[in-house]
Amino acid sequence: MAIAVVVILLVVGSVVFHLASPWWFTPLASNWGTIDATVDITFWVTGIVFVLANLFMAWCIIKYRSKKGQKANYEPENKKLEIWLTAITTVGVAAMLAPGLIVWGQFVNVPENAMVVEAVGQQWNWNYRYPGKDGELGEVDPKLIAPENPFGISPDDPNGQDDVLVFSQEMRLPLGEPVKLLMRSKDVLHNFAVPQFRVKMDIVPGMVTYQWFQTTRTGRYEILCEELCGVGHHVMRGVVIVDTPDEYQTWLNSQSTFADTVAARNVDLDAGKMAYAPCAACHGASGEGNKLLNAPKLAGLDDRYMKRQMDNYRSGVRGGDTADILGMQMRAMVSTLPTARDVNNVIGYINTLPITSSAATISGDIERGKEIYQTCKACHGPNGEGIWVMGAPRQAKMDDWYILAQLKNFKSGLRGSHEDDWYGGQMVQMAQMLSNDQEMNDLIAYINTL
Ligand code: CUA
């Protein structure tokens, strides 16, 4: 009898929990209300079966519980009952599957007028490509992927020249326009999902997969990678901002094309050297860094990392917090380089400076540090050389006091907390792994051996 009561309470509790639960769908922001409908149908079918089957069980326990003088009757076959059960089960299963097949048919048939956008996934970031004025994406070849051509666009294809490249985790879309999203991966399996759009699709290296949707409201929505893709899987997040068509167009026009990025490769080293003069006051004539001035070494950092930091300082993504005094100083200095051209020239000049070893100032347990570094090396490289494609700068031969200061800043959120600091945000998460100063010292002591 007690069991029957427990079963009934479980049924009532499950239904109440389901109805009162705060964990429900996020508000729909796309045309895919039919996907919600199929999920609702599945909930109804499985919910009704769950309630009826369990209440029937409880009723049996009460009605047929052991009584003196009452004997159970063995009845192995009951054709009529079996026909009924088979028929009802068939209807229930068909009701759950058939609507899904209809919606899937719509999901794989993209409307003719859909605009095409490409999302490129890699461990653990997103980049996006929009067709330029010609409305066509240029040819790509994975063999062409290089620091100066991260999308691997064929320089010989005229369609690729005006492709708009977005080197940020943030993409934008115009409200109400059907979008066909093409997806590529540079390395392993990923998955592009936006919960509010109710869409998701795997991304397979060597294939171009697709999905389509039509947005129904403006807003900022998180893009999640929903395929386990390595230690950084949980930080592989992006954002899609749905704008009015005018706002979208303004944003799109402000992004650089493939041709722009090719042109940016031509640097004027003499101009770069001149522009570097104010930097040299703190960072040293050879970019060797100066601990007394809290200026880190620059020689050895890759172009993309330096450019991103300068852009972040300029926009206040880094150094925008008044508690970050050193960051604020650097913000002021970045204003001495007003144009993208100046920044490119300075970075080009810094690239010519020799990479020397910095003196070690921190000691710790190297063996323990090596263990901790196993997680870091996925992005920063087995020898701390940095991996440009990960957005991860060099650690080996850099200033250890600066690495320690930045680890602390990431851990406390002084650096990397801005919502547009994508890579910094990843480091904020990764730095939480270091539980105390000793672990940071151990880690850096190991990095000093690289
Ligand atoms: Cu990419 Cu998980």
Side-chain angles (χ1 to χ4, degrees), residues 193-319:
V194 179
Q196 289 84 349
F197 296 172
R198 309 292 194 265
V199 291
K200 62 183 292 188
M201 181 59 73
D202 275 353
I203 311 179
V204 184
M207 279 174 75
V208 178
T209 52
Y210 69 92
Q211 57 182 325
W212 83 270
F213 51 85
Q214 185 169 9
T215 56
T216 52
R217 58 164 88 185
T218 56
R220 181 185 168 95
Y221 309 106
E222 200 170 18
I223 297 166
L224 303 170
C225 173
E226 293 191 350
E227 181 75 48
L228 184 60
C229 57
V231 293
H233 162 66
H234 65 294
V235 295
M236 186 167 172
R237 296 168 191 215
V239 155
V240 50
I241 292 178
V242 179
D243 271 341
T244 62
D246 284 349
E247 286 171 323
Y248 163 75
Q249 201 56 49
T250 309
W251 170 82
L252 192 67
N253 294 343
S254 72
Q255 304 298 309
S256 46
T257 63
F258 179 56
D260 293 338
T261 64
V262 172
R265 283 181 224 161
N266 301 314
V267 294
D268 180 342
L269 287 181
D270 291 332
K273 189 174 180 179
M274 294 250 288
Y276 182 74
C279 319
C282 293
H283 292 280
S286 305
E288 70 275 22
N290 185 337
K291 188 180 179 194
L292 292 175
L293 298 172
N294 291 301
K297 178 185 217 174
L298 298 176
L301 292 175
D302 70 275
D303 304 18
R304 303 185 69 82
Y305 176 76
M306 281 192 280
K307 169 127 188 354
R308 192 167 69 237
Q309 297 314 309
M310 303 250 225
D311 289 345
N312 284 350
Y313 278 123
R314 193 187 305 284
S315 61
V317 165
R318 191 174 169 189

Side-chain angles (χ1 to χ4, degrees), residues 83-361:
I83 288 170
W84 269 110
L85 285 179
T86 308
I88 292 170
T89 310
T90 306
V91 170
V93 171
M96 283 196 292
L97 297 186
L101 288 174
I102 294 166
V103 177
W104 178 252
Q106 297 163 355
F107 192 71
V108 293
N109 283 303
V110 184
E112 296 262 318
N113 61 337
M115 64 177 272
V116 172
V117 184
E118 182 188 62
V120 182
Q122 61 177 71
Q123 288 175 318
W124 289 282
N125 297 293
W126 300 102
N127 284 162
Y128 313 98
R129 182 163 67 121
Y130 294 71
K133 301 230 164 14
D134 62 1
E136 293 213 36
L137 288 170
E139 299 261 320
V140 289
D141 182 344
K143 290 193 196 79
L144 296 171
I145 292 174
E148 63 279 4
N149 186 3
F151 287 81
I153 298 171
S154 165
D156 305 325
D157 182 2
N159 287 336
Q161 292 296 323
D162 66 348
D163 284 5
V164 175
L165 308 181
V166 180
F167 299 105
S168 156
Q169 317 266 45
E170 183 182 292
M171 72 181 305
R172 293 192 186 225
L173 293 172
L175 176 67
E177 191 136 343
V179 176
K180 179 180 190 182
L181 188 74
L182 301 174
M183 291 163 286
R184 280 196 288 148
S185 166
K186 288 186 192 169
D187 38 38
V188 299
L189 291 174
H190 299 284
N191 179 295
F192 184 104
V194 179
Q196 289 84 349
F197 296 172
R198 309 292 194 265
V199 291
K200 62 183 292 188
M201 181 59 73
D202 275 353
I203 311 179
V204 184
M207 279 174 75
V208 178
T209 52
Y210 69 92
Q211 57 182 325
W212 83 270
F213 51 85
Q214 185 169 9
T215 56
T216 52
R217 58 164 88 185
T218 56
R220 181 185 168 95
Y221 309 106
E222 200 170 18
I223 297 166
L224 303 170
C225 173
E226 293 191 350
E227 181 75 48
L228 184 60
C229 57
V231 293
H233 162 66
H234 65 294
V235 295
M236 186 167 172
R237 296 168 191 215
V239 155
V240 50
I241 292 178
V242 179
D243 271 341
T244 62
D246 284 349
E247 286 171 323
Y248 163 75
Q249 201 56 49
T250 309
W251 170 82
L252 192 67
N253 294 343
S254 72
Q255 304 298 309
S256 46
T257 63
F258 179 56
D260 293 338
T261 64
V262 172
R265 283 181 224 161
N266 301 314
V267 294
D268 180 342
L269 287 181
D270 291 332
K273 189 174 180 179
M274 294 250 288
Y276 182 74
C279 319
C282 293
H283 292 280
S286 305
E288 70 275 22
N290 185 337
K291 188 180 179 194
L292 292 175
L293 298 172
N294 291 301
K297 178 185 217 174
L298 298 176
L301 292 175
D302 70 275
D303 304 18
R304 303 185 69 82
Y305 176 76
M306 281 192 280
K307 169 127 188 354
R308 192 167 69 237
Q309 297 314 309
M310 303 250 225
D311 289 345
N312 284 350
Y313 278 123
R314 193 187 305 284
S315 61
V317 165
R318 191 174 169 189
D321 184 336
T322 47
D324 184 6
I325 295 160
L326 298 172
M328 283 172 65
Q329 282 178 9
M330 187 58 201
R331 276 200 78 184
M333 294 313 292
V334 164
S335 61
T336 63
L337 301 169
T339 69
R341 180 93 267 180
D342 299 323
V343 171
N344 272 336
N345 290 341
V346 166
I347 292 174
Y349 176 69
I350 294 172
N351 274 335
T352 66
L353 301 171
I355 307 172
T356 52
S357 282
S358 288
T361 64

